[in-house]
Amino acid sequence: MTDHTDQVRHRRRPRTRVAAATAALALVAPLAACGSDDTGGTPTINLYYGPEQNLQKVVDDCNAEAQGRYRIVYRTLPREADDQRVQMVRRLAAEDTGMDVLGLDVTWTQEFASANWIREWTGQDRTDVEQGTLAGPLETATYEDKLYAAPKNTNVQLLWYRKDLVEQPPTTFDEMISQAQELKGQGQPYRVLTMGAQYEGLVVLYNTLVASAGGNILSADGKRAEMDEGAVRALEQLQRFATAGVTSPSFSNATEDPVRLEFQAGDGAFQLNWPFVYPALQEANPQLAEQVGWARFPGVDPQTPSKVTVGGYNLAVSSHSRHPEESFEAAKCLRNERNQKFSAVNDGVPPTIEAVYDDPDMDEAYPMKETILEELRDAATRPLTPAYQNISTVMSAYLSPPAAIRPEQTAEELRTAIGDALESKGVLP
């Protein structure tokens, strides 16, 4: 979830109540009246997407490129990802024709596709999207071997470390723990700061450990809870990390932005977080920024690189759109190579098209781009299933607090709970 944007999507606050989401829906429901034009004039393509500071410039450029064939209107969704999903789910379930192009968190594509809320990308449209797009982000846009969305931007977490404290960045969690313990013994800043609260950030951490250990949470077809040996080893690693005396006292309540702020204040030697921390650190503490390096997220086994969970957003076309042809064209424009570069440089959202990383304009905004690209070429996705929201909810509950994990027992409990979640038993959607 993930996820996950002018980077605010990765600074998720605690889940809001459904009542708040309902209130937000009531406020925006009248927008349905602003649906696609049926009068024979220029078709209006309503883009529903979360807040992204400079996305309107991309929309304006695509409208100019359309030369009057259609006009995209940017309808800003709520800032919180959960609220975005609630609004779209309710309106799509009501067959609202006022929604055309939808910005979906990478964990929603399968759910929306299985509910027949979004259209399949076929023919030349599919070919255009697949051309040059990184495999990991592309996988998040598929369901049952069909393409249902176009990856607009992606993201992966990196290891951020203090170069003045650490000679060589660790390549495994155990190595990182040892280095932190050594620094602690020397009276130096030593903490490993990352997200451990009961929410999607903890699920992402565990998912990365599972993939890095060669494990699986679900079966290959996504229909059965697997929780194999690699998944158990990931539980062992997470519990060992949480009890090694190197995390922040707030670890079991930590989310992305508080983690960033704690590291920014000089309270850690390591940080596992999204790239948004880099420009924030440059602005808030430039002196410390000079001492901070980045490296690939640590893995589980020596000599085996980590597999890091991707976040990001995909663009889908609503099944109820009155102008699907123009909507597909608009979506392709919004995420083409030129506009992905613009959004990456100006809004801090890493591209899904690999060639964009070679552009010289990316060098200043993304000095860590080679590390990001290295992770993206061998990335992990979260469990690909329409029931992911249910699975994430139960996983975060059983993984929290990480220090209380009992690997074999927790794995068995998760196997049962995930099995129930796959059938939507006892979990609110």
Side-chain angles (χ1 to χ4, degrees), residues 152-165:
K152 177 187 173 292
N153 61 266
T154 187
N155 221 339
V156 281
Q157 295 180 20
L158 304 179
L159 167 65
W160 307 88
Y161 67 98
R162 290 276 298 272
K163 294 184 293 185
D164 56 331
L165 300 173

Side-chain angles (χ1 to χ4, degrees), residues 239-309:
Q239 192 271 345
R240 186 159 62 247
F241 169 60
T243 56
V246 298
T247 61
S248 169
S250 62
F251 172 56
S252 62
N253 293 303
T255 57
E256 283 92 340
D257 217 38
V259 166
R260 171 186 70 86
L261 291 170
E262 194 170 353
F263 186 80
Q264 220 166 259
D267 292 340
F270 305 96
Q271 177 183 199
L272 300 170
N273 212 335
W274 306 94
F276 82 93
V277 304
Y278 175 77
L281 180 62
Q282 298 288 320
E283 183 177 345
N285 193 340
Q287 187 173 356
L288 178 63
E290 292 179 4
Q291 301 299 330
V292 174
W294 54 84
R296 186 167 183 147
F297 201 97
V300 174
D301 296 315
Q303 312 305 318
T304 302
S306 59
K307 292 180 71 72
V308 187
T309 304

Side-chain angles (χ1 to χ4, degrees), residues 297-414:
F297 201 97
V300 174
D301 296 315
Q303 312 305 318
T304 302
S306 59
K307 292 180 71 72
V308 187
T309 304
V310 293
Y313 272 69
N314 298 331
L315 293 175
V317 174
S318 168
S319 295
H320 310 304
S321 170
R322 293 194 182 103
H323 302 287
E325 183 178 342
E326 291 87 352
S327 294
F328 280 116
E329 183 179 341
K332 288 194 294 183
C333 180
L334 292 165
R335 55 86 60 191
N336 67 22
E337 190 170 322
R338 181 190 71 248
N339 288 328
Q340 284 206 28
K341 185 187 84 169
F342 175 85
S343 295
V345 171
N346 292 281
D347 282 327
V349 287
T352 62
I353 298 173
E354 184 167 0
V356 178
Y357 290 86
D358 294 331
D359 193 294
D361 290 344
M362 290 284 290
D363 293 348
E364 184 176 352
Y366 286 87
M368 74 298 292
K369 68 178 186 178
E370 293 302 325
T371 306
I372 291 175
L373 192 54
E374 181 182 293
E375 291 187 355
L376 286 171
R377 286 177 177 145
D378 188 29
T381 62
R382 280 163 269 197
L384 295 173
T385 167
Y388 181 76
Q389 301 302 315
N390 291 348
I391 290 173
S392 175
T393 299
V394 299
M395 285 181 64
S396 65
Y398 281 93
L399 294 171
S400 180
I405 289 171
R406 300 295 177 263
E408 293 289 349
Q409 178 183 334
T410 302
E412 190 56 43
E413 291 170 345
L414 275 171

Side-chain angles (χ1 to χ4, degrees), residues 19-299:
T22 306
L25 174 63
L27 289 172
V28 298
L31 288 178
C34 301
S36 301
D37 191 347
D38 281 332
T39 63
T42 301
T44 296
I45 305 302
N46 289 300
L47 165 67
Y48 280 82
Y49 203 88
E52 189 170 293
Q53 187 173 354
N54 296 286
L55 184 57
Q56 186 60 52
K57 171 67 165 58
V58 173
V59 169
D60 292 343
D61 288 350
C62 286
N63 282 337
E65 189 174 311
Q67 297 182 324
R69 293 191 307 279
Y70 57 81
R71 181 175 66 91
I72 307 169
V73 176
Y74 177 18
R75 311 286 186 189
T76 309
L77 288 167
R79 188 168 296 280
E80 298 299 324
D82 289 345
D83 296 346
Q84 293 173 20
R85 177 177 168 272
V86 166
Q87 182 181 139
M88 286 193 285
V89 163
R90 293 186 177 188
R91 293 182 62 171
L92 290 166
E95 300 184 1
D96 187 340
T97 59
M99 306 181 85
D100 298 294
V101 179
L102 312 174
L104 305 183
D105 185 286
V106 292
T107 64
W108 303 338
T109 306
Q110 295 219 337
E111 176 189 6
F112 282 42
S114 71
N116 296 315
W117 290 333
I118 54 178
R119 296 174 184 263
E120 181 187 355
W121 290 66
T122 60
Q124 190 60 45
D125 288 330
R126 175 171 184 163
T127 300
D128 290 343
V129 168
E130 291 178 338
Q131 183 69 36
T133 300
L134 289 154
L138 195 62
E139 191 176 1
T140 70
T142 61
Y143 175 62
E144 295 184 341
D145 297 322
K146 297 177 180 178
L147 186 69
Y148 279 93
K152 177 187 173 292
N153 61 266
T154 187
N155 221 339
V156 281
Q157 295 180 20
L158 304 179
L159 167 65
W160 307 88
Y161 67 98
R162 290 276 298 272
K163 294 184 293 185
D164 56 331
L165 300 173
V166 179
E167 203 168 308
Q168 289 292 330
T171 59
T172 67
F173 261 74
D174 285 344
E175 186 182 354
M176 181 172 63
I177 291 169
S178 294
Q179 289 184 1
Q181 289 172 335
E182 186 176 339
L183 288 168
K184 185 178 183 179
Q186 297 169 356
Q188 300 271 27
Y190 65 90
R191 287 177 179 148
V192 182
L193 304 173
T194 195
M195 292 71 75
Q198 184 181 325
Y199 82 122
E200 183 67 10
L202 178 57
V203 178
V204 167
L205 174 58
Y206 176 62
N207 189 75
T208 292
L209 291 172
V210 173
S212 299
N216 295 282
I217 294 168
L218 299 186
S219 56
D221 61 7
K223 299 183 185 302
R224 188 181 73 258
E226 187 85 7
M227 292 302 297
D228 57 16
E229 182 182 348
V232 176
R233 290 187 60 225
L235 287 170
E236 293 170 350
Q237 182 71 85
L238 182 55
Q239 192 271 345
R240 186 159 62 247
F241 169 60
T243 56
V246 298
T247 61
S248 169
S250 62
F251 172 56
S252 62
N253 293 303
T255 57
E256 283 92 340
D257 217 38
V259 166
R260 171 186 70 86
L261 291 170
E262 194 170 353
F263 186 80
Q264 220 166 259
D267 292 340
F270 305 96
Q271 177 183 199
L272 300 170
N273 212 335
W274 306 94
F276 82 93
V277 304
Y278 175 77
L281 180 62
Q282 298 288 320
E283 183 177 345
N285 193 340
Q287 187 173 356
L288 178 63
E290 292 179 4
Q291 301 299 330
V292 174
W294 54 84
R296 186 167 183 147
F297 201 97

